[in-house]
Amino acid sequence: MAERVFLHVGAPKTGTTYLQQMLWGNRSALKNEGILLPATRKAHYQAMGDLRRGVWHDPDAWWTWDRLAAKARAWSGTVVISEEMLGAATPSQAKQAIESLQSAEVHVVVAGRDLGRTIPSSWQQGVRARNLGRYRDYVNALQTGKYPEFWAHQTPLPILRRWSDSLPAAQRHLVTVPPDGADPLLLWQRFAGVIGIPEGLCEQRSSHKNTSLGVVETELLRRVNNALGDSYPLRAPYLKVVHGHLVNPILKRRKGGERFGAPLELADWIRDTAEQMADDVRQYKCDVAGDPADLVPAELREGTAPDEVSEEVLLQTAVETIVGMLKHTDRTTRRMRPAEADMSRRVRRFTVRAKRRLGSAADRLRRFG
């Protein structure tokens, strides 16, 4: 039976890709230390989809939440389950998850990032999840309170409350993302300290990042989403086709993509709101790894907003993207040709052997029939 289970449930775009690479890249060393990451990274995602259901649920997925929880319970030490999309689970779904693990001491870990970086990141993530709305409309909806899902799913305290109000304060953990420009290792040190991972045990084995799209690339993808209509709905079809052939191999790899931030004219509102968030965290009884002040942006940077991209620039980017997709398709086809040729040879050999065996069987039937 597991002694402790740490549920790292978000929020999105808080260094989760980096943290998960550190965890999975050092899985053997962690296991030797008595810390288990059950199953696989994909299993954590599939279990999240099973728990949350709706558009996240893949009926063909083998890993369910109950199956993952059973594997966690069977371990004798510490278990870590990490999937940032768990943070948007409903209170009843969070309760179900915790109750499935309560033979162990359950801890909930949530990471929080400053509001100035969270706002543009969350809109971009929405576009990459097939959303259609314009950036300015999104920001206006945040300011006027017309988009409560943002505050519920992208900011740390509501996630902590949904997931861990029923737990002792010592089992609720907030990890604050260090300010922009800080050494990424500082985030890992904060997170590892919460879990109890010894310093120096884990090494960074991958430099892969969950790359953000630039201003033009994000706006182009948003328009593609609108043009798709009902084609390729979330989750699996969109990820397989749009991410597999457009976002990951083409848009993410474009060089020099200009980044965008929160609108400068909202700087006072963003800072005031972020300071209130930090005060609310200070009043909530939980373990904080870092500083609540990290939730307040130091400064907002001026840049081109997605809504301001000219049609000429978008057209040129679209043409370059088509060229990139053609080259990607050609490379993929060339890589597949040896495998296709090998498969054809295997099919021919199998067909020849099958015909011989059928002929031999027919001869025996004639002789003894």
Side-chain angles (χ1 to χ4, degrees), residues 293-333:
D294 291 336
L295 301 176
V296 182
E299 62 178 349
L300 297 181
R301 299 177 180 177
E302 188 171 8
T304 303
D307 301 344
E308 299 169 354
V309 176
S310 70
E311 297 297 318
E312 181 181 359
V313 170
L314 273 172
L315 176 59
Q316 180 61 34
T317 303
V319 171
E320 293 171 0
T321 299
I322 292 171
V323 172
M325 292 181 71
L326 290 172
K327 292 180 178 179
H328 170 69
T329 301
D330 182 50
R331 288 192 299 268
T332 303
T333 302

Side-chain angles (χ1 to χ4, degrees), residues 147-158:
Y147 188 40
E149 293 87 354
F150 170 85
W151 307 104
H153 300 161
Q154 301 287 337
T155 59
L157 194 52

Side-chain angles (χ1 to χ4, degrees), residues 1 81 99 223 242-243 264 311 346 365:
M1 180 177 71
I81 294 174
E99 287 180 347
R223 296 194 183 195
V242 181
H243 278 243
L264 289 181
E311 297 297 318
R346 290 172 182 265
L365 284 172

Side-chain angles (χ1 to χ4, degrees), residues 13-78:
K13 300 299 288 183
T14 56
T16 50
T17 298
Y18 167 66
L19 295 175
Q20 287 159 359
Q21 285 176 347
M22 290 291 285
L23 289 169
W24 289 103
N26 293 276
R27 187 185 183 196
S28 296
L30 288 167
K31 190 174 183 179
N32 290 337
E33 194 67 26
I35 302 171
L36 177 72
L37 279 85
T40 63
R41 173 73 188 90
K42 185 176 182 180
H44 290 209
Y45 181 82
Q46 289 183 345
M48 175 279 299
D50 175 63
L51 180 72
R52 288 186 56 189
R53 314 299 289 182
V55 297
W56 298 96
H57 179 55
D58 180 359
D60 297 326
W62 192 84
W63 281 97
T64 63
W65 181 266
D66 287 342
R67 185 169 281 137
L68 187 68
K71 197 168 185 67
R73 291 194 303 267
W75 183 248
S76 58
T78 296

